[in-house]
Amino acid sequence: MNLGLHDKVIIVTGGAKGIGEAISKLIAEEGGIVVIAGRNAADNNKTVDEIVKTGGRAFAITAELGKVEDCKKVIALTVDQYGKIDGLVNNAGANDGVGLENGSPEKFMTSLQNNLSHYYNLAHYALPYLKETRGNIVNIGSKVADTGQGNTSGYAASKGAINALTREWAVEMLPYAIRVNTVIPAEVWTPLYETWINSLPNPKEKLAAIVKHIPLEKRMTTAEEIGNMTVFLLSPKSSHTTGQIVYVDGGYTHLDRSVN
Ligand code: NAP
C-alpha cells in the first residue's frame, strides 16, 4: 500500500533507537524525509547512515529534549533545512523508576521534564508549521498509564498525561484539521526494555513470566509493529482518525491474561 508519505518531513524524537528507529526506517521506506531528534549524536548518525545507505532520506539533530531551548532548536533546524513540517512523532522517553517511596519531589519533576514536557514543547513550537501543511501528531504512550507498574510515578504520570493531551489537542486542533493520535506499546524488546528488565532481580524468569501473559501468540510486540501503526496514523490513509489511543500490545492491556 502506498501510504502517501512521499516527501513528507516528519520529526521522530528518540528516532535512532528501539521503537523510534523502527518508525524512522518505515517513514524513510515510504519515501518520507525523517528528522531524528535525540541526545546521542553517534546513535543518530548511525541510523541516518543506515537509512541513507538503503536509498532513504534522513537528517539528525542532537537534542536533550528535557531542555526547552533544545526543543525550539529541533523545530528551527528542521524548518531551516526543509522549509516545512508535515508530522511530529513524540516518542522519546524512559521508564526511569522514580517511585512514590524511593523518589523525591525534585526527581519527580525531572522525570516529567524528560518524559512529558517535550511532547508539549515540540508540538507547541511545531504548530505554526503543522497548520500550514495540515500535518499531524502521533504520540507514543505506554500501558503503564492504564495498568500502573509500581515504583515509576514520574513515568506513569507522564504517560497518563499524554493520553489526556491526545484528546485535548485533538479537540483544539479541529479548526486546523491537524489530527492527533497515540500508540500504546506494552512489551516491546528495545534497548530501553533490555536495560529495565536487567535492572530487576532474576531478569530471565521475569521476562518469561511477562511473555507468558501476552495473550496474542505469547510473544513480545516488535518495534516494527508499533512503527507500522504509527506510519498508518501519520498517513492520509487514516484521514478521519483523530483523538484515538491505539493499543498495539497483543491484547496485553485489555484482554483476560489468564487465558492460555
Ligand atoms: P529506547 O530503546 O531507549 O529508545 C529511546 C530513544 O530516545 C533513545 O535513543 C534515547 O536516548 C532517546 N531519548 C530518550 N529520552 C530522551 C531525551 N529526554 N532527550 C533526547 N533523547 C531521548 O526506548 P524505547 O523502548 O524504544 O521507547 C520508546 C518509547 O516507547 C518511549 O516513550 C517509551 O516510554 C515507550 N514504551 C516502550 C515500551 C517498551 O516495551 N519498549 C513499552 C511502553 C512504552 P538514550 O539512548 O541516550 O537514552
Side-chain angles (χ1 to χ4, degrees):
M1 190 192 289
N2 177 355
L3 290 178
L5 290 177
H6 197 77
D7 288 343
K8 301 288 184 197
V9 175
I10 299 168
I11 298 169
V12 183
T13 68
K17 265 162 87 170
I19 289 169
E21 178 182 356
I23 295 168
S24 297
K25 288 182 172 171
L26 286 163
I27 292 168
E29 274 173 32
E30 289 295 324
I33 301 167
V34 191
V35 177
I36 294 176
R39 61 184 157 213
N40 186 314
D43 288 343
N44 294 345
N45 291 335
K46 181 171 172 283
T47 303
V48 166
D49 286 349
E50 287 168 7
I51 289 172
V52 170
K53 263 189 203 139
T54 56
R57 289 171 292 172
F59 178 65
I61 300 174
T62 309
E64 174 43 74
L65 298 165
K67 296 183 182 162
V68 180
E69 59 275 23
D70 278 27
C71 293
K72 234 187 220 176
K73 178 180 84 176
V74 169
I75 302 305
L77 289 179
T78 304
V79 174
D80 277 357
Q81 185 74 12
Y82 297 111
K84 63 167 187 164
I85 300 172
D86 296 287
L88 168 65
V89 180
N90 277 319
N91 161 75
N95 194 344
D96 49 10
V98 177
L100 187 57
E101 196 167 16
N102 78 0
S104 68
E106 294 73 26
K107 284 182 184 164
F108 182 72
M109 289 310 292
T110 303
S111 180
L112 296 187
Q113 202 69 35
N114 288 330
N115 285 301
L116 173 62
S117 299
H118 55 86
Y119 278 50
Y120 176 90
N121 297 339
L122 286 161
H124 174 75
Y125 291 123
L127 184 52
Y129 307 101
L130 293 174
K131 279 164 74 172
E132 281 172 11
T133 56
R134 293 187 159 216
N136 70 84
I137 300 173
V138 178
N139 298 313
I140 305 298
S142 171
K143 58 101 182 164
V144 169
D146 297 272
T147 61
Q149 189 176 72
N151 204 28
T152 195
S153 298
Y155 183 73
S158 298
K159 294 304 190 184
I162 288 162
N163 287 356
L165 290 174
T166 302
R167 297 263 150 79
E168 167 62 14
W169 294 349
V171 173
E172 188 175 335
M173 294 299 103
L174 290 173
Y176 312 121
I178 293 172
R179 298 180 298 108
V180 185
N181 294 289
T182 284
V183 177
I184 305 284
E187 310 293 335
V188 186
W189 191 259
T190 64
L192 173 71
Y193 197 95
E194 192 173 6
T195 305
W196 171 73
I197 203 102
N198 285 332
S199 73
L200 305 175
N202 308 319
K204 259 193 184 158
E205 290 75 6
K206 179 69 182 171
L207 183 62
I210 291 169
V211 169
K212 153 173 125 191
H213 290 298
I214 298 173
L216 189 62
E217 299 176 341
K218 309 288 179 208
R219 64 167 177 86
M220 308 276 291
T221 307
T222 66
E224 287 69 28
E225 287 170 322
I226 304 296
N228 286 334
M229 181 58 74
T230 304
V231 291
F232 175 71
L233 290 171
L234 284 167
S235 84
K237 296 288 182 197
S238 62
S239 49
H240 215 213
T241 301
T242 193
Q244 297 307 305
I245 297 169
V246 184
Y247 292 78
V248 180
D249 67 351
Y252 189 82
T253 311
H254 293 102
L255 301 187
D256 185 342
R257 292 185 216 157
S258 68
V259 174
N260 282 312

